[in-house]
Amino acid sequence: MMQWEPVIGLEVHVQLMTDSKLFSGAPIAYGAHANHQACPVSIALPGVLPVMNLEAARLAVRFGLAIGAKVEKRSVFERKNYFYPDLPKGYQISQYKHPVVSGGSLTIETGTGDRVIGITRAHLEEDAGKSVHENFHGMTGIDFNRAGTPLLEIVSEPDMRSAEEAVAYLKKLHALVRYFEVSDGNMQEGSFRCDANVSIRPKGNPELGTRTELKNINSFRFVEKAINFEIERQIDVLEDGGMIIQETRLYDSERDETRSMRSKEDAQDYRYFPDPDLPEMILDDEFIEEVRANLPELPNHRKSRYEQEFSLSPPVAEKLLRDRDTADFFERVCERSRSDPKTIANWINGELTALLNERNIEISDSPVDSDRFTALLDHMADKTLSGKMAKEVLMHLANDPSDVDAIIESKGFRQITDSSEIERVVGEVLDANAPQVRQYREGNQKVFGYLMGQVMKATDGKADPGQVNQILRNLLE
Ligand code: ADP
Ligand code: MG
């Protein structure tokens, strides 16, 4: 049986976080009425000229610096010519021979250790419009709002060897562009889109096999499924003595299969040539250094700092660093709180994240801001609240803007920490459960949990469990 090795390279289109289009001042807000953002430049009316958006250049440079790539001081916009109804100019402005970013890499963690995935290049280009089929009864509508939206296309080397590695790379890249505020990475809105190039070869063979390009995969889960389907399909074709045709295939998530869309164009089909309407993009040192000076602390640096300074485990640190706002939130709470950083990290990654996920919101929109969150954890640290109570208080905070003290008061959430009070209740419970007390004294340890439960029940769950445990043990001796 032949052993096959999959080879995968990814092309990711990331929508840049600018206010306006790549070559005009028209807005790019998501969800606007169809064609309300279709300015003369985006629909190519005669006589209009493109003007480069400086902020898009800044974000491209930011990305290049973030991945340790070479930022090219000279890059060139070219016309990529093809016909499609959503492309009124008849060409897309892109960068081809001279991209703004070249080289660089991302490191992914895999089951067998870290792997470095090379990034070939990243170039600026404009998005096309969108064909709309719903409500057009056998016809197609075109919405040009998206035409001209600034994209950064990030092309990887064919360095990945499994669908899992491809997903790990994508997740890393997704976190990175969000962390550096290059893109909001919103996949539902199409701000982070991926095409996967897949081939297979006999294991050990240095040459690459013929690849297919999979389009239309808009979630991490589908990327994995589409690639795995395609690997199996190619193995079947080759083992049946067939040949892989270089083509573009569409992933159908409902049927979980890929289908041929068109044979793949070659670069020469596009008749690239430098756009005569646009000057070369020349970036000087001062511009690049200014972008560098404004970079946030690099995620890897921040991660090792969390591990050393706060003794967090690598997965816990990694989770806090899934986006910058979460990491910033963590640091703000650490600065002010009396709780230890591990508890803070676990509460952010656990309870708070669960709350945000449930509402499908980001931490920047959290109903519990870092001040109230700090107060909550501090009330747990000073034992006003048990862990269980703190969880309940968090739920109240999520629906009520009052401060933590007010909620603790009004809902009666105070933990009982007065030892004489606890002793009194423990005494009552022991009197009422004489048979169990006897069993315990005869050596049946299991009854302890039962007695503990009775005390908690008698105090409405409000007694400090640590103290109850201690006092109960003392009185049972
Ligand atoms: P194009 O511009 O036609 O899409 P590129 O040469 O720029 O082609 O490659 C696009 C992507 O395909 C890159 O991510 C590259 O790593 C990947 N790739 C190229 N050859 C192969 C191959 N044989 N198998 C898998 N991926 C490949
Ligand atoms: Mg391509």
Side-chain angles (χ1 to χ4, degrees):
M1 211 34 190
M2 166 93 73
Q3 265 235 315
W4 297 100
E5 177 178 61
V7 173
I8 300 147
L10 299 177
E11 294 164 278
V12 178
H13 288 88
V14 160
Q15 181 174 324
L16 297 174
M17 251 169 142
T18 57
D19 293 331
S20 54
K21 294 193 175 179
L22 188 53
F23 299 113
S24 84
I28 56 168
Y30 183 80
H33 278 294
N35 294 312
H36 280 222
Q37 294 173 166
C39 67
V41 175
S42 20
I43 56 173
L45 294 185
V48 296
L49 286 171
V51 178
M52 170 69 195
N53 180 336
L54 186 63
E55 185 58 18
R58 202 188 302 279
L59 294 173
V61 172
R62 214 173 151 84
F63 174 77
L65 296 175
I67 59 161
K70 180 157 184 270
V71 173
E72 303 291 349
K73 291 188 186 166
R74 170 179 170 269
S75 60
V76 178
F77 288 106
E78 303 206 31
R79 292 185 178 180
K80 180 179 183 180
N81 298 281
Y82 64 92
F83 172 78
Y84 207 74
D86 64 17
L87 190 74
K89 290 202 292 292
Y91 60 85
Q92 176 195 26
I93 306 178
S94 181
Q95 295 184 316
Y96 180 54
K97 276 201 187 123
H98 303 281
V100 60
V101 168
S102 57
S105 63
L106 277 189
T107 302
I108 57 170
E109 287 98 41
T110 73
T112 51
D114 285 0
R115 287 204 57 213
V116 177
I117 306 299
I119 291 178
T120 318
R121 54 187 272 149
H123 62 258
L124 283 162
E125 65 181 28
E126 56 176 356
D127 207 346
K130 202 171 135 191
S131 300
V132 193
H133 304 287
E134 275 158 51
N135 306 328
F136 281 89
H137 312 291
M139 292 182 287
T140 297
I142 314 267
D143 179 359
F144 288 112
N145 281 349
R146 216 176 65 182
T149 296
L151 303 178
L152 192 66
E153 177 172 339
I154 302 158
V155 182
S156 85
E157 291 289 306
D159 281 350
M160 285 148 279
R161 297 291 173 265
S162 67
E164 295 73 47
E165 286 188 11
V167 172
Y169 166 86
L170 275 181
K171 287 192 171 161
K172 193 89 190 192
L173 184 62
H174 186 249
L176 183 123
V177 295
R178 284 166 51 90
Y179 184 89
F180 283 93
E181 292 172 338
V182 167
S183 171
D184 66 17
N186 190 321
M187 294 174 96
Q188 285 83 46
E189 295 179 4
S191 302
F192 189 91
R193 315 197 288 260
C194 162
D195 299 336
N197 295 270
V198 180
S199 66
I200 57 169
R201 62 182 173 189
K203 203 167 169 72
N205 189 346
E207 273 157 51
L208 294 178
T210 304
R211 69 177 148 130
T212 57
E213 181 170 351
L214 312 181
K215 295 260 183 205
N216 193 32
I217 29 188
N218 52 11
S219 79
F220 295 127
R221 199 163 62 88
F222 290 157
V223 169
E224 183 158 358
K225 289 183 143 204
I227 292 175
N228 279 329
F229 175 89
E230 185 58 17
I231 292 170
E232 291 307 316
R233 189 191 69 84
Q234 292 188 10
I235 292 176
D236 285 348
V237 170
L238 292 182
E239 292 193 341
D240 282 351
M243 264 172 48
I244 303 298
I245 306 162
Q246 179 163 334
E247 62 183 354
T248 302
R249 297 178 71 85
L250 194 77
Y251 177 65
D252 179 339
S253 58
E254 267 162 37
R255 297 205 209 161
D256 188 23
E257 62 177 30
T258 66
R259 279 199 301 278
S260 179
M261 212 165 110
R262 54 170 189 255
S263 69
K264 171 106 180 109
E265 320 65 7
D266 273 327
Q268 71 222 27
D269 297 330
Y270 290 121
R271 298 280 154 200
Y272 279 100
F273 65 89
D275 192 316
D277 288 343
L278 283 159
E280 295 181 338
M281 190 167 87
I282 307 292
L283 306 174
D284 59 18
D285 286 325
E286 202 186 327
F287 181 81
I288 296 171
E289 288 318 308
E290 189 209 301
V291 177
R292 194 192 306 278
N294 285 311
L295 285 180
E297 184 183 3
L298 297 176
N300 281 346
H301 184 267
R302 211 165 173 177
K303 188 175 166 216
S304 34
R305 188 163 64 78
Y306 285 6
E307 289 170 31
Q308 281 153 24
E309 203 173 301
F310 300 131
S311 310
L312 300 184
S313 71
V316 170
E318 179 93 27
K319 204 164 173 208
L320 287 174
L321 282 162
R322 63 187 175 273
D323 60 57
R324 216 164 107 201
D325 288 336
T326 305
D328 289 347
F329 190 101
F330 168 69
E331 288 187 29
R332 272 202 307 281
V333 178
C334 279
E335 262 167 38
R336 295 175 213 170
S337 173
R338 274 174 283 170
S339 309
D340 74 297
K342 274 192 198 167
T343 306
I344 297 170
N346 288 336
W347 271 73
I348 292 175
N349 286 341
E351 301 306 318
L352 185 63
T353 301
L355 176 75
L356 301 176
N357 287 347
E358 200 174 288
R359 299 192 178 189
N360 202 11
I361 52 174
E362 305 286 333
I363 199 162
S364 49
D365 298 320
S366 171
V368 185
D369 63 9
S370 56
D371 283 337
R372 294 204 303 161
F373 195 73
T374 301
L376 175 69
L377 295 191
D378 284 354
H379 278 106
M380 200 165 68
D382 71 14
K383 299 205 163 241
T384 312
L385 298 175
S386 66
K388 190 161 163 280
M389 288 172 174
K391 284 177 195 172
E392 286 177 42
V393 173
L394 180 67
M395 291 308 135
H396 285 286
L397 291 172
N399 298 307
D400 181 341
S402 322
D403 69 25
V404 176
D405 287 307
I407 287 177
I408 290 175
E409 279 317 317
S410 70
K411 310 275 181 214
F413 272 122
R414 206 163 272 282
Q415 190 170 226
I416 302 170
T417 53
D418 174 355
S419 55
S420 55
E421 166 78 5
I422 295 175
E423 263 170 38
R424 189 182 58 72
V425 180
V426 171
E428 281 170 18
V429 166
L430 293 186
D431 287 347
N433 294 278
Q436 284 81 1
V437 172
R438 201 174 325 112
Q439 285 172 28
Y440 179 82
R441 290 188 172 137
E442 283 163 2
N444 184 354
Q445 300 283 327
K446 278 192 231 153
V447 199
F448 190 81
Y450 167 79
L451 293 169
M452 188 72 207
Q454 292 304 303
V455 178
M456 295 310 289
K457 200 167 149 198
T459 58
D460 271 341
K462 286 184 187 163
D464 171 11
Q467 287 192 57
V468 173
N469 190 303
Q470 191 114 52
I471 290 169
L472 194 55
R473 259 178 221 292
N474 290 343
L475 292 186
L476 280 170
E477 283 306 301

